[in-house]
Amino acid sequence: MRRATLNPLTTISDAGIARVLIVDDSVVARAVIARMLDATDRFMVAGAVADARAALAFLEKNRVDIILLDIEMPGVDGLTALPDIIVAGQGARVLIVSSSCAEGAAATIQALTLGAADTLVKPSVGNLVGKFGDILEEKLARLLDGGERVPCAITPYVHSTAIADDFDIVAIGASTGGIHALSMLLRALPTSFQLPILITQHLPPSFMPYFAAQVAVLAGRPCVVATEHMRIERGRIIIAPGEAHLRCVSYGDGVSIRLTTEKSSTGCMPSVDPMFQTVADVYGARALAIVLSGMGRDGTDGARHIKNTGGAVVVQDQASSVVWGMPGSVAGAGVADAILQPGEIGRMVAQQRRPAR
């Protein structure tokens, strides 16, 4: 195994090589994954340990950019240790690599809620080569490259203790890193907050029931996966299904959901843009759009439409984002009214007051 020769308290080198810590109880898995990473020109293995306790000890003395964390390990399991490992990692992005992250697995949603940047299903030891290595390298590269710094000047939100009624609906778009940000936002909302919330989160369809159940627990209110013609009601959270875009349409004295499957301009399914665009069409200046951590630029066109119809747009700040692609794109387009940490966004939403510019 090629070991990093950088200062243990530094991270990515001037040559652009990222330091990786592997945490897996399988000797074979550690060795195979290490060989994969050391064969690339972008990653080098800073350490490989067998359990969470050893990982925390390693991180006390060493800095890394990425942590590959298994879930099923002796002693403290990966999910239990994840919050402590995130803190000890001092900004390192955690990729869960585990057989427990199979399609639709509740462990995946739990890991993302706790702050993991992404997850990857670990195949059997005999299949830890070929396609798995390509997928692993691609995921790591996207985590490093997904968020570019976008220069912008936004007036910070000014907090107020008064409760207003400046908007009638909250629409939230998110992708990589967004579930953890969403959990912090929702925890800041009191049970008395009853405005409807719409969420488009980039996830496969099979994960949506687990995601909705997790959101319901975090928010302390009903959360459902959208169905055709579902009515938007106070006190309820509605999530876009993984196989369709969530749109809003007016009918009579209310608003209902329409689901469509056309290709979006960003290639995302579901896409944030159709949700924002139709929320703007229906609610106009009474809409609040929020863009949380995520790769790419999905949500930028929709946020611009929200802004043009008089609504408000708030994005997550770069420091707290796993990837500042989506929120950074909106900020760079000049349509964000405020750039805040997720908890601050939640407190602003709870006040039902527009952000000050």
Side-chain angles (χ1 to χ4, degrees):
M1 181 189 305
R2 181 183 61 169
R3 292 289 179 175
T5 57
L6 307 176
N7 184 314
L9 299 181
T10 66
T11 51
I12 296 177
S13 71
D14 292 338
I17 301 175
R19 295 163 58 93
V20 180
L21 171 63
I22 302 170
V23 187
D24 195 305
D25 64 317
S26 168
V27 175
V28 175
R30 294 199 304 271
V32 172
I33 293 174
R35 284 199 298 271
M36 291 177 185
L37 298 179
D38 283 339
T40 71
D41 57 3
R42 293 207 59 185
F43 307 100
M44 65 190 330
V45 178
V49 297
D51 55 44
R53 181 173 297 179
L56 293 173
F58 180 89
L59 292 170
E60 284 183 1
K61 301 178 180 179
N62 300 273
R63 293 287 303 278
V64 297
D65 302 289
I66 293 173
I67 301 169
L68 305 184
L69 179 64
D70 190 15
I71 290 180
E72 297 178 352
M73 297 184 294
V76 180
D77 66 88
L79 287 180
T80 301
L82 181 56
D84 289 336
I85 287 177
I86 289 174
V87 172
Q90 301 180 63
R93 292 167 180 172
V94 179
L95 175 65
I96 300 292
V97 182
S98 173
S99 58
S100 299
C101 295
E103 186 79 358
T108 296
I109 300 301
Q110 187 176 355
L112 295 173
T113 302
L114 290 171
D118 206 346
T119 65
L120 176 61
V121 177
K122 183 176 68 175
S124 61
V125 172
N127 294 315
L128 279 174
V129 292
K131 185 177 180 180
F132 171 77
D134 294 338
I135 296 173
L136 174 60
E137 185 176 356
E138 179 184 356
K139 277 187 175 284
L140 295 182
R142 290 183 65 192
L143 286 179
L144 292 178
D145 300 337
E148 298 179 358
R149 183 175 295 276
V150 179
C152 54
I154 303 291
T155 303
Y157 173 66
V158 178
H159 294 279
S160 168
T161 57
I163 301 298
D165 63 348
D166 291 348
F167 44 87
D168 295 331
I169 193 165
V170 180
I172 304 173
S175 187
T176 304
I179 293 181
H180 180 55
L182 180 65
S183 71
M184 293 188 287
L185 187 162
L186 293 175
R187 287 189 181 104
L189 299 182
T191 55
S192 59
F193 182 84
Q194 290 295 298
L195 292 187
I197 299 174
L198 306 180
I199 300 173
T200 292
Q201 166 75 48
H202 296 163
L203 280 175
S206 58
F207 287 104
M208 291 305 180
Y210 297 99
F211 179 45
Q214 188 71 27
V215 169
V217 171
L218 291 168
R221 70 202 69 208
C223 178
V224 295
V225 179
T227 57
E228 184 74 355
H229 303 304
M230 176 180 285
R231 184 163 180 163
I232 295 176
E233 299 176 342
R234 288 177 59 84
R236 183 161 69 173
I237 300 174
I238 301 176
I239 295 173
E243 69 279 6
H245 310 301
L246 186 158
R247 292 178 175 271
C248 299
V249 294
S250 296
Y251 77 97
D253 61 348
V255 183
S256 66
I257 297 296
R258 290 300 307 274
L259 301 178
T260 62
T261 58
E262 75 281 2
K263 184 177 180 180
S264 69
S265 61
T266 59
C268 297
M269 178 61 78
S271 171
V272 179
D273 282 322
M275 178 181 70
F276 281 176
Q277 289 163 353
T278 54
V279 163
D281 292 339
V282 173
Y283 291 91
R286 304 289 298 177
L288 172 64
I290 298 170
V291 181
L292 301 177
S293 176
M295 296 179 184
R297 60 178 305 276
D298 188 29
T300 300
D301 292 341
R304 185 180 290 108
H305 197 46
I306 291 274
K307 189 68 175 176
N308 290 342
T309 53
V313 179
V314 178
V315 303
Q316 184 176 353
D317 70 319
Q318 184 172 19
S320 67
S321 296
V322 171
V323 180
W324 209 53
M326 286 168 51
S329 177
V330 174
V335 296
D337 294 293
I339 301 177
L340 303 169
Q341 294 183 352
E344 293 175 318
I345 296 176
R347 289 188 286 275
M348 184 210 73
V349 171
Q351 293 170 18
Q352 300 181 41
R353 186 176 295 278
R354 296 173 68 93
R357 290 202 67 168

